[in-house]
Amino acid sequence: NDAVDEVGLDVLAAKGYREARVDDFCDHAGVSHGTFYLYFANKGELFDALAHEVGDEMRVLVSDLGPVGTGAAGFRELRSWLARFADLYEHHYPVIRVWQSDDVDPDLIRLGADILADLTATFSDALVAAGVAPDHIKLRKPETTVGSGSPEEGRRVEVRVQ
């Protein structure tokens, strides 16, 4: 549910996956350990649920990218889609940051990699459909640096159309 997701995101943003404890989730949500364990066996199961929800939202976003032509309508569609992507990425950054680490189950890291690959392919296909030559599109993965972990710190997605 949305309340559980928000608590999970808040705790992951503040502590990171490795440092977060079930106590942190319970304290932040104002629930007992017993209540937590009714829904999740451990923090890994909570993260799994969060990761799959982010994955589902990103897959919907990928499928929502409409035609991106060379005219004003195509520009508006692309701009709107990129704004929705940026909002989703920023909101779910604590989960996406964990995907980029090796602190979780490899299946969850693969889920993140698959979703980001889907996004990249969809974006690239839209540019090609708009008339950009495929060899002129250079996409680089987001880069993250170690530090406070804020969404703004060290994060960059670079797209070059030559």
Side-chain angles (χ1 to χ4, degrees), residues 33-40:
H33 282 78
T35 300
F36 179 90
Y37 289 117
L38 283 174
Y39 298 96
F40 306 103

Side-chain angles (χ1 to χ4, degrees), residues 66-124:
V68 179
T70 56
F75 178 77
R76 282 191 304 275
E77 173 61 27
L78 181 59
R79 189 170 194 167
S80 171
W81 187 87
L82 288 171
R84 289 185 314 225
F85 170 76
D87 289 345
L88 190 143
Y89 191 97
E90 183 175 358
H91 181 76
H92 293 292
Y93 180 72
V95 172
I96 295 167
R97 178 180 66 187
V98 174
W99 281 341
Q100 298 171 346
S101 73
D102 52 1
D103 288 347
V104 295
D105 182 305
D107 288 339
L108 293 176
I109 294 171
R110 270 192 294 287
L111 171 69
D114 290 347
I115 290 166
L116 293 175
D118 288 349
L119 284 168
T120 301
T122 298
F123 187 65
S124 179

